[in-house]
Amino acid sequence: MQRRKFLKNSTTAAAAVISVPFINSCQEEVTIPKKLAKTIRPIAICTWNFENATAKAWQVLKEGGSSLDAVQQGAMIEEADVNNQTVGVGGRPDRDGNVTLDACIMDKDGNCGAVLAMQNIASPVSVARKVMEETPHVMLAGKGAEKFAYEQGFEKTNLLTEQSKKEWLEWKKTSQYKPIINIENHDTIGILAIDKKGDISGACTTSGMGYKYAGRVGDSPIIGAGLFVDNEIGAATATGVGEEVVRTVGSFLIVELMRQGKSPQEACEEGVKRIMAKNKDRTDFQIGFIAINKNGETGGYCIQPGFTYRTYSEEGHIDNSSMSFLKG
Ligand code: ASP
């Protein structure tokens, strides 16, 4: 059943490759996907199998809420889940035993906010939104981000759960930094949505690579790398080894590829291939991208098997785990 739905989606996507160039308000020639007979909206899409996040986002969208509220509330579900060891409370700590969180959010107007390496606050995506809405800045890091969060009324929370502490103490016995594909280093939630009005927003939140060097920040809170939204074209977000995503400014690249006329699927595939072109001798890491265009068509692609993404629209709640990957 799910497979059938996935194939149906792929067919829809293929039909939409036809695109039309036009001159936008900046006098640039851009190519946006030709409007489909049926535009898919509202819709929410997220990395991995975070079905509670897409379900929450869908609920917001269905009731007429904004895509910005949808992505924030969807991301917050995972941040609050103590059993999810890669996002928010319960996230794996750095090698010193501190849980440091990264998140960003971006709206239809290109407004954005981010927090980097922030401790003791359970919902970094919500602080990122406050940075966007309440300050003239885009990024706040470390102690500054934490102080700002308290000023905004967020409570101090212990983010290190007994389970994550136990695993960290075990890791310390060898202290070998060898992230395991799809396990230790993944599960960042990147979530994108289009609301009933057709406006696009995105959010991305993570505890980063488990047992990372203290102060290490990956792609997830970096606008353009872990997340990018262009309301004219679409949006993209990433998961996986952040250093590689930063090197190619991955999410921005994917949105620009869609601007040039590629479908979300084609753009994600090209993004992954660009990363691999720079890492010809490496097979030991995972990157996954997901993307959505203005029509609500979606795509996802990764290096290794094991990645999936969720979509939630009127067509239903779909796990796209039959998606293709590079190392097939
Ligand atoms: N992209 C995240 C980072 O590099 C990790 C992940 O996706 O799990 O921090």
Side-chain angles (χ1 to χ4, degrees):
M1 178 66 173
Q2 282 181 342
R3 167 104 185 133
R4 242 193 7 245
K5 279 187 183 162
F6 176 70
L7 291 175
K8 189 170 134 212
N9 269 4
S10 310
T11 319
T12 318
V17 173
I18 313 154
S19 45
V20 281
F22 79 109
I23 305 292
N24 73 2
S25 52
C26 304
Q27 300 298 302
E28 305 161 318
E29 186 174 308
V30 300
T31 310
I32 56 165
K34 194 176 175 195
K35 217 165 182 303
L36 295 173
K38 184 177 179 292
T39 300
I40 304 162
R41 76 169 64 144
I43 179 169
I45 162 172
C46 81
T47 53
W48 303 102
N49 209 356
F50 293 131
E51 55 185 321
N52 295 334
T54 30
K56 180 69 199 177
W58 173 250
Q59 188 192 337
V60 173
L61 295 167
K62 195 180 60 177
E63 288 167 5
S66 70
S67 55
L68 189 64
D69 286 341
V71 294
Q72 180 190 356
Q73 290 187 37
M76 284 171 70
I77 294 279
E78 289 308 317
E79 290 178 333
D81 181 355
V82 292
N83 296 317
N84 180 342
Q85 290 181 286
T86 52
V87 179
V89 186
R92 290 194 179 86
D94 63 19
R95 59 188 60 183
D96 299 339
N98 296 311
V99 181
T100 67
L101 303 179
D102 305 324
C104 69
I105 194 161
M106 190 165 191
D107 76 5
K108 66 181 173 58
D109 297 315
N111 297 312
C112 44
V115 291
L116 289 68
M118 184 176 68
Q119 296 184 37
N120 301 316
I121 305 290
S123 179
V125 75
S126 302
V127 185
R129 183 163 176 180
K130 289 284 184 194
V131 173
M132 175 174 93
E133 291 176 343
E134 307 294 336
T135 81
H137 308 305
V138 168
M139 295 190 245
L140 291 180
K143 287 284 168 222
E146 192 179 339
K147 179 167 170 269
F148 170 72
Y150 297 138
E151 284 167 13
Q152 292 294 321
F154 291 84
E155 280 173 14
K156 186 167 184 166
T157 307
N158 175 23
L159 304 177
L160 187 63
T161 55
E162 278 311 309
Q163 181 62 25
S164 288
K165 186 174 174 183
K166 205 170 109 196
E167 289 176 17
W168 166 66
L169 290 172
E170 195 53 37
W171 173 83
K172 267 186 22 136
K173 290 181 185 163
T174 55
S175 296
Q176 273 196 322
Y177 187 63
K178 277 194 186 158
I180 303 164
I181 292 168
N182 289 341
I183 300 179
E184 236 172 44
N185 50 357
H186 300 289
D187 282 13
T188 290
I189 176 165
I191 179 164
L192 312 170
I194 306 181
D195 57 30
K196 284 185 178 170
K197 290 186 187 157
D199 289 326
I200 312 173
S201 301
C204 189
T205 178
T206 190
S207 53
M209 307 287 274
Y211 319 131
K212 62 197 174 186
Y213 201 90
R216 178 266 183 191
V217 173
D219 60 317
S220 305
I222 309 296
I223 296 294
L227 173 74
F228 195 70
V229 176
D230 182 330
N231 204 37
E232 240 171 21
I233 305 297
T237 186
T239 181
V241 179
E243 283 73 4
E244 300 308 327
V245 179
V246 169
R247 277 195 252 277
T248 50
V249 198
S251 294
F252 179 74
L253 170 67
I254 284 165
V255 174
E256 284 304 296
L257 289 167
M258 292 195 286
R259 180 184 288 273
Q260 289 162 23
K262 291 205 186 307
S263 69
Q265 183 62 34
E266 291 167 339
C268 289
E269 290 181 17
E270 174 70 22
V272 167
K273 284 174 189 160
R274 294 254 186 126
I275 288 174
M276 290 318 288
K278 290 192 161 72
N279 288 283
K280 290 204 174 69
D281 303 326
R282 284 187 65 193
T283 52
D284 59 344
F285 70 104
Q286 175 68 302
I287 301 283
F289 286 113
I290 62 169
I292 194 164
N293 71 9
K294 193 73 177 167
N295 287 328
E297 298 162 84
T298 64
Y301 199 62
C302 54
I303 301 172
Q304 320 275 351
F307 178 58
T308 183
Y309 68 98
R310 279 258 162 195
T311 49
Y312 207 147
S313 68
E314 268 172 6
E315 294 187 344
H317 203 184
I318 299 170
D319 171 3
N320 297 290
S321 43
S322 52
M323 65 185 283
S324 56
F325 50 89
L326 188 70
K327 303 228 168 264

